[in-house]
Structure formats: structure tokens, C-alpha cells
Amino acid sequence: MLSDVRAVVFDLDGTLLDRRRSFEGFVREQWERFGSLTAVDREQYVQTLIERDRDGYAPRDELFTGMIAQFDLPSSLAGTLLTDSRAAFPSACVLFPDAAQTLSSLRASGRKLGLITNGSVRMQSAKLACLELSPLFDTILISDAEGMSKPERQIFARALERMDVTPAHAVFVGDHPDVDVAGARAAGLRAIWRRDPGVSRVVEADAVIEELSELLPLLGLE
């Protein structure tokens, strides 16, 4: 079905990067690093921040302010924790277990690889550096640097233009039903949904995968 694909474009967070596992690991480490947080039960702190984070879609500047008020901690701590998260979160990031091997296999097959990620240049570039992902891609687009973001069709078009591939010969792989899958399809690409267990509704995609390694047989690679 997808054997004619010449370029595979990926989302980062939740698709290649196991963001939920990464964020939980970071929050646990942060609780241990800051003695002033030990007034709060660790598990309560972790679960509260996970809920407030909303898989990274919550405004960063508000991530810690509500939590600080909830636990009656010094208001000045919110800025300190935000600064710490910007500095320390990238090094806590981990890929899904089969991500690196899947990307390597796709490169070896001659497919072009692209990455489109929404977020700040500072944070997303730091994640890519810590994960050592950049050399695997022919082009990387970070919304902050491009002045546009998914699901805008222009950012998908820009990625394909840089790889010199038409939408008909490209596929996008992402975990978000609207930002990734619907956005890519509206831009003329086929879209593969990396299924998010937290999404119960039907997602209109050209294919659905549970693991990244499932891409290989879909593209005619074994």
C-alpha cells in the first residue's frame, strides 16, 4: 500500500520520543533535587504535574504556578522550577525502544527522512541533541524557527520542498489525531497514526501502528 513512499516525515514528541515516560522521569528527579519540594508527597507532586502538563500542550509559563498555589509553596519557586525544567528536561528524554533502529532501517532503504515538531527552538533543539537524532534526518523543521506550526499545511509543504518530494510520495507519522494526522492529510500527504492509548475516538488515517517498527512492513521493508 505504501511501497511507493520516497519520504517519511515524523513528529517528535509522543512519536519518536516517549514524552510521557520522559516527563515523569524528569519530574521525579526534580522532586529529589529540590529540598523545598519534599514538603509535598512525591507521588502527589508527580501526578499533579503530569495532569497539568497535558502531554506538553499546556502553556509552559503556567505549568508550575498553579501547582505552587495548590501546595501552598513559596511563589518564587515557580520561576525556579520552570528554569530548571528548561535546562534539565532534554537530558531526561528517552526514545521509544524501537525508534533508532526503525529510523536507521528507513535510511538504509534509501527513503528520505524529515521531522516536523511544534515547540521552541531552544527546547526542541536540546532534545534532538541529547537524543542524537539530528544526523538521521534530511530536514528538521521546528515551528518556532519556521514561523508556522502543525497542523498548518504550509509547514508540511515546506518540509517536502526541502526534500524535493511531492505529497503523493510522502507519508507523515504522528501521534496526535488533529495536529499530526488530520494536518498531514489536509496537506496532501498520507498519514500513519501512531496510536495513542489515551484517544478513544475513531481517527481517520491511512494506517495505524502500535510500534514504530511496524512501519517497515507497511513500506514493503522486512
Side-chain angles (χ1 to χ4, degrees), residues 153-199:
R153 66 176 60 201
Q154 296 97 316
I155 198 166
F156 295 98
R158 185 173 291 180
L160 298 186
E161 182 180 346
R162 291 179 185 174
M163 292 187 291
D164 193 25
V165 176
T166 63
H169 291 105
V171 66
F172 189 85
V173 184
D175 68 301
H176 197 286
D178 303 317
V179 175
D180 294 326
V181 177
R185 295 185 98 198
L189 292 79
R190 283 168 286 182
I192 297 174
W193 183 40
R194 184 190 175 128
R195 193 177 74 82
D196 179 349
V199 176

Side-chain angles (χ1 to χ4, degrees), residues 139-161:
T139 188
I140 294 173
L141 287 77
I142 300 174
S143 63
D144 182 29
E146 303 298 329
M148 59 184 74
S149 59
K150 298 176 294 179
E152 294 176 69
R153 66 176 60 201
Q154 296 97 316
I155 198 166
F156 295 98
R158 185 173 291 180
L160 298 186
E161 182 180 346

Side-chain angles (χ1 to χ4, degrees), residues 39-114:
V40 181
D41 176 76
R42 182 175 68 175
E43 292 309 309
Q44 193 176 5
Y45 180 75
V46 170
Q47 293 308 314
T48 297
L49 271 184
I50 288 173
E51 290 171 12
R52 289 187 173 278
D53 177 60
R54 292 193 288 119
D55 285 334
Y57 285 93
R60 296 299 86 186
D61 291 345
E62 300 172 11
L63 181 59
F64 294 98
T65 51
M67 184 275 300
I68 290 295
Q70 178 178 334
F71 294 119
D72 197 26
L73 295 168
S75 58
S76 60
L77 190 56
T80 302
L81 294 175
L82 179 61
T83 299
D84 176 70
S85 73
R86 287 171 170 160
F89 179 51
S91 60
C93 287
V94 292
L95 293 172
F96 284 104
D98 55 354
Q101 183 56 55
T102 299
L103 291 172
S104 296
S105 296
L106 289 172
R107 277 201 76 82
S109 75
R111 266 75 170 184
K112 293 183 178 180
L113 297 182

